Amino acid sequence: VIVEVVGVGTELLLGQIADTNAQWIGGRLAAIGADALFHQVVGDNLQRITSSIELALSRADAVIVTGGLGPTQDDITRHALAAVAGVALERRPELADGIRERFARAGREMPESNLVQADVPAGARTITPERGTAPGIVLDVGGRRVYALPGVPVEMREMMEGTVLPELAVTSGPATIQSRTVRCVGMAESRIAELLDDLFHGSTNPTIAYLAGGGEVKVRLTAKASSAEEAAALIGPGVETVLTRLGDVVTSTSDEELEEVVGRLLRAAGRTIACAESLTGGSLSMRLSRVPGASDYFLGSAVVYRPASKRALLGVLQETLDGPGVVSRECAAEMAAGARSRFGADVGLSLTGAAGPEGHDGAPPGTVWIGLDADERTHQRRIRAPGDRAMVVRWSEQAALDLVRRLLEGRPLLDAEPVVR
Ligand code: ATP
Ligand code: MG
């Protein structure tokens, strides 16, 4: 079954709110195997809402409209529905009573204008709200169906779960669209696409999509099948092939965040980690501690923003601060060793660099040194992160966590220039 979502509201066009309704509905439609080919957003204008719904009906079996069902003048979805069906609005006494009762129960006086929510296109079915006052409207037009739901997300979701999705599931039969996401760090999106190109060329089930951002690339495989098990069986071999082709840049085949991967590996190895953070200002620790149960392996972090703090808290040498400076291999190495010994951790991880927009201590913005101190070795890696401050910080976190992942998985450490003590 093909379903089209139409978001109504000028505030969506003006960028004042994001169309999270369409996002949520998209996910739920995929779960029941309904095909969403188009989404539309339209402002609060009768003619344009009407033509949006007509366009959607011309290419979908069912249309889900959200928004514009309230009691104010700008809420005109009901009028558009009546226009699409070529019928008049009629006031339903039972709906009007329901609205009155709702206000009475809440001990509030009802503005007369609220009764327009009892106006429904002739012949339409309604969905009774549990929370809000606006009933949903279900209208059949020429063998196709329009569902009009309130814009308020909780009210919309309630009607989707209670009525729309169950009805669509019956029409579409047993079907589901499932995805698996393989996440990669340390390889460009274009290179990944090149390596996988022949595999999925012309494949429609599963399909493949690439999403780059935040210092990683996500490769998403999506399959449609009559059951979740069947979809998993279609995707599974593809995931295995992707893993074989891409090798050790793959951080997860089940959409885990890198901090989850590192946490899982540390827990499995029974090892602990401590950090020393300069340019990231504690955000690496935030990520590590986000994972439930992180105290099993995450001991703590020193946020050492100024050179004197690096020295006082972690024992970075004055010669290092005066000589190579804070954005250097030496400083990263001493910070990692300092964090490891101060916290008594198995692994010390450090980050020092220039987040930008200015350079720092002679290093251009985006220059970051990562230090790792574990077992009998110390390892440092320099990266050049692109973008603004936030992006440099994010890339730094990714590269640092990925270095720990590589260590724990026994993979080669990137830019390996190990110094054996
Ligand atoms: P109300 O009875 O509150 O007027 P309504 O059905 O008329 O409901 P709108 O007036 O269009 O809906 O939107 C009400 C509120 O719901 C908006 O202010 C916004 O916060 C939220 N909303 C509307 N549409 C969306 C959407 N597509 N995505 C996310 N939130 C939305
Ligand atoms: Mg409204």
Side-chain angles (χ1 to χ4, degrees):
V1 55
I2 297 175
V3 182
E4 183 153 338
V5 182
V6 179
V8 175
T10 304
E11 71 270 31
L12 291 162
L13 291 176
L14 294 177
Q16 291 165 351
I17 60 167
D19 193 356
T20 57
N21 282 351
Q23 182 188 20
W24 184 86
I25 292 171
R28 301 314 310 261
L29 291 176
I32 62 160
D35 294 304
L37 306 184
F38 299 94
H39 281 185
Q40 294 188 64
V41 169
V42 61
D44 299 307
N45 172 287
L46 181 58
Q47 223 180 336
R48 290 192 286 271
I49 299 172
T50 305
S51 57
S52 281
I53 297 172
E54 281 167 352
L55 174 63
L57 280 171
S58 73
R59 57 194 183 188
D61 304 306
V63 179
I64 301 172
V65 183
T66 74
L69 283 186
T72 58
Q73 281 89 349
D74 59 348
D75 293 317
I76 46 182
T77 298
R78 67 188 71 252
H79 292 95
L81 291 177
V84 168
V87 298
L89 288 174
E90 57 182 30
R91 181 151 302 181
R92 301 274 170 90
E94 73 281 7
L95 289 179
D97 290 345
I99 294 168
R100 280 199 199 91
E101 253 170 54
R102 201 170 277 275
F103 273 89
R105 246 186 289 131
R108 287 191 294 145
E109 198 158 329
M110 187 196 73
E112 250 343 84
S113 62
N114 265 84
L115 289 180
V116 305
Q117 293 185 302
D119 293 347
V120 173
R125 183 153 61 89
T126 57
I127 306 172
T128 311
E130 277 165 35
R131 292 166 214 259
T133 54
I137 300 174
V138 188
L139 188 64
D140 288 325
V141 190
R144 301 179 174 199
R145 177 166 289 178
V146 185
Y147 293 97
L149 309 179
V152 180
V154 289
E155 299 178 25
M156 176 280 290
R157 288 200 291 264
E158 166 197 307
M159 294 183 191
M160 282 293 295
E161 307 270 24
T163 304
V164 181
L165 289 167
E167 289 186 9
L168 290 175
V170 169
T171 321
S172 69
T176 183
I177 296 174
Q178 302 277 327
S179 293
R180 264 182 77 184
T181 302
V182 177
R183 292 169 81 151
C184 313
V185 171
M187 189 182 276
E189 181 188 22
S190 49
R191 178 77 188 125
I192 290 174
E194 245 171 53
L195 288 172
L196 302 180
D197 183 53
D198 62 302
L199 287 178
F200 299 97
H201 200 76
S203 165
T204 52
N205 208 15
T207 57
I208 193 162
Y210 304 94
L211 291 101
E216 67 183 326
V217 179
K218 298 178 187 177
V219 180
R220 194 183 57 220
L221 281 77
T222 304
K224 184 173 176 174
S226 59
S227 70
E229 295 71 35
E230 210 180 295
L234 281 167
I235 298 172
V239 170
E240 287 309 310
T241 317
V242 169
L243 187 55
T244 311
R245 288 272 176 106
L246 300 182
D248 65 11
V249 299
V250 172
T251 60
S252 174
T253 56
S254 56
D255 205 15
E256 294 162 291
E257 297 288 341
L258 207 37
E259 61 268 26
E260 294 173 320
V261 174
V262 165
R264 173 168 57 70
L265 292 168
L266 283 165
R267 178 177 280 112
R271 301 175 89 187
T272 58
I273 191 168
C275 307
E277 297 187 61
S278 186
L279 84 154
T280 48
S283 65
L284 181 64
S285 314
M286 282 270 288
R287 285 184 61 182
L288 283 166
S289 59
R290 238 194 85 240
V291 183
S295 60
D296 290 349
Y297 50 82
F298 176 50
L299 301 189
S301 177
V303 178
V304 285
Y305 214 59
R306 295 257 294 239
S309 311
K310 295 177 176 59
R311 187 172 172 204
L313 268 77
L314 299 174
V316 172
L317 300 173
Q318 191 63 45
E319 300 135 61
T320 300
L321 300 177
D322 294 340
V326 293
V327 187
S328 68
R329 173 190 296 282
E330 290 81 353
C331 190
E334 290 166 26
M335 283 170 65
R340 185 181 172 191
S341 72
R342 285 298 156 104
F343 287 99
D346 298 314
V347 179
L349 180 63
S350 70
L351 276 163
T352 181
E358 307 294 323
H360 183 54
D361 208 13
T367 312
V368 180
W369 276 97
I370 302 162
L372 190 62
D373 196 292
D375 306 318
E376 292 309 302
R377 64 180 172 166
T378 84
H379 175 88
Q380 301 82 37
R381 182 183 173 211
R382 190 181 66 182
I383 63 162
R384 286 282 164 75
D388 61 10
R389 258 175 102 78
M391 211 164 142
V392 170
V393 166
R394 171 76 192 185
W395 276 62
S396 305
E397 295 165 11
Q398 289 295 95
L401 289 170
D402 193 49
L403 210 53
V404 178
R405 174 193 65 92
R406 286 176 166 276
L407 173 83
L408 296 168
E409 286 183 346
R411 313 264 190 202
L413 300 180
L414 295 173
D415 290 358
E417 293 166 17
V419 180
V420 178
R421 280 195 295 232

